[in-house]
Amino acid sequence: RLSLIVLARALPGTKTRLPVTQQLTEPTDNFRKGILMAAAGVIIISPDGLFMRLLDHAGTWDAIFYRSLFMGITFTLVLLWQHRAQTLNVILGIGRRGVLAVFALTASNMGFVAAITHTTVANTLVILAIMPLFSALLGWMILGERVANRTWWAIFAGFFGVVIIFADSLGGGTLTGDVLALFTAILQALTLVILRIDGERVMVPAFCLSGFLAATISSGFADPAAVPVHDVALLAVLGGFIVPAAFLLFFSSVRYIPAAEASLMVLLETVLGPIWVWLVIGEVPTVVAAIGGIVIIGAIAGNSIVALRSETDQ
């Protein structure tokens, strides 16, 4: 129950949504809030790949089924907590962009799990690091949202850090998994842009529906009864708490900052993912990985510091 209270308080309330064409002129407090929310969301979901690696017998479709089912259940409870008798009306009122967000979320969630199981975690993370570029381009094309020069530099610097980290591992993945990871990056960027427009109205219903839709699709290929309790428990924690909490924080951040700024935080996962694997499984990061991590953290921190200073000076 406590977790539901925390999640419910993190949701968009009655605040007025910021205009999507507004440039980086939000008050400093709002900008700081958006940066912190995006970073917190990425940090929370960073063990996602590790959880998938810890599964004993669950296959790709089994993992998608349970991860998505628990995600749908959690967001249903959040909706009931928020809207009670009006929950069904809220779900039915998401509109066309909300429906597009549902399908984009469904496909991206399924694509991520499939990518992790068809290629290396390193390949998946490095390809997902291209997401800020797609977010910037889609935000510009759809919303006319200008991307600050400092953000472009941070995106390219962060991606350079990713390349440094995974330079030796890029050849180890399969084409199928790599394509799925790229597909996931594009769809997540599209979701960010959609929620930048209609975040308060469609966010939680879209999360809820996408969870059940992915579970329904995967149920025809999965064998849930054959999955051991150990794997179900891991997927319950992942889909029932980690993913919902991370999604709420990360996708809510676009109420305060442009999609390109929010998606830049995804680069943190390229640093934290290997650290979780090191701490739990014992795979020690290399010196090259440490150097790349410093580049990534420096790019993100530098962008945020410059942005906050420019907000303060206005």
Side-chain angles (χ1 to χ4, degrees), residues 50 68 95 112-113 128 136 167 178 186 195 203 209 221 240 242 256 276 294 302-303 309:
L50 172 63
S68 303
F112 175 80
V113 176
L128 286 179
D178 292 346
I186 295 172
L195 294 181
M203 184 182 303
L209 292 175
F221 306 94
I242 291 178
Y256 308 103
W276 286 118
I294 292 172
N303 178 69
R309 284 183 176 177

Side-chain angles (χ1 to χ4, degrees), residues 274-305:
I275 291 177
W276 286 118
V277 174
W278 169 46
L279 292 175
V280 178
I281 299 179
E283 295 180 3
V284 182
T286 65
V287 175
V288 173
I291 294 173
I294 292 172
V295 173
I296 293 171
I297 293 175
I300 296 173
N303 178 69
S304 299
I305 291 172

Side-chain angles (χ1 to χ4, degrees), residues 63-137:
I64 292 174
F65 173 80
Y66 277 114
R67 183 180 185 270
S68 303
L69 178 63
F70 286 117
M71 172 180 156
I73 292 173
T74 294
F75 280 117
T76 298
L77 295 175
V78 171
L79 283 171
L80 290 171
W81 177 277
Q82 279 193 305
H83 303 287
R84 295 176 171 80
Q86 297 300 315
T87 296
L88 183 58
N89 291 334
V90 170
I91 292 175
L92 294 177
I94 61 174
R96 289 179 296 178
R97 282 194 294 263
V99 172
L100 179 59
V102 170
F103 284 107
L105 281 165
T106 300
S108 65
N109 284 329
M110 295 177 68
F112 175 80
V113 176
I116 287 289
T117 56
H118 284 83
T119 188
T120 63
V121 174
N123 281 41
T124 301
L125 293 179
V126 72
I127 294 172
L128 286 179
I130 306 174
M131 180 183 167
L133 293 175
F134 290 126
S135 296
L137 290 173

Side-chain angles (χ1 to χ4, degrees), residues 103-294:
F103 284 107
L105 281 165
T106 300
S108 65
N109 284 329
M110 295 177 68
F112 175 80
V113 176
I116 287 289
T117 56
H118 284 83
T119 188
T120 63
V121 174
N123 281 41
T124 301
L125 293 179
V126 72
I127 294 172
L128 286 179
I130 306 174
M131 180 183 167
L133 293 175
F134 290 126
S135 296
L137 290 173
L138 290 174
W140 171 68
M141 292 170 61
I142 297 175
L143 305 178
E145 196 167 57
R146 185 182 64 86
V147 180
N149 290 333
R150 59 173 171 77
T151 304
W152 281 117
W153 283 111
I155 289 172
F156 287 116
F159 184 71
F160 177 69
V162 171
V163 172
I164 292 175
I165 293 177
F166 297 119
D168 295 331
S169 64
L170 284 176
T174 65
L175 178 61
T176 299
D178 292 346
V179 170
L180 287 170
L182 180 62
F183 180 66
T184 300
I186 295 172
L187 289 174
Q188 288 183 349
L190 176 61
T191 303
L192 270 179
V193 173
I194 294 173
L195 294 181
R196 177 76 167 155
I197 304 172
D198 286 326
E200 293 186 19
R201 184 168 59 88
V202 308
M203 184 182 303
V204 179
F207 291 156
C208 175
L209 292 175
S210 68
F212 287 124
L213 179 58
T216 301
I217 294 172
S218 59
S219 64
F221 306 94
D223 187 8
V227 179
V229 175
H230 169 269
D231 289 1
V232 174
L234 285 176
L235 291 167
V237 173
L238 184 61
F241 178 73
I242 291 178
V243 172
F247 275 18
L248 286 177
L249 287 167
F250 181 71
F251 286 104
S252 293
S253 69
V254 295
R255 296 164 57 207
Y256 308 103
I257 56 178
E261 297 276 359
S263 61
L264 186 61
M265 294 299 163
V266 172
L267 296 174
L268 283 172
E269 190 174 8
T270 64
V271 178
L272 297 177
I275 291 177
W276 286 118
V277 174
W278 169 46
L279 292 175
V280 178
I281 299 179
E283 295 180 3
V284 182
T286 65
V287 175
V288 173
I291 294 173
I294 292 172

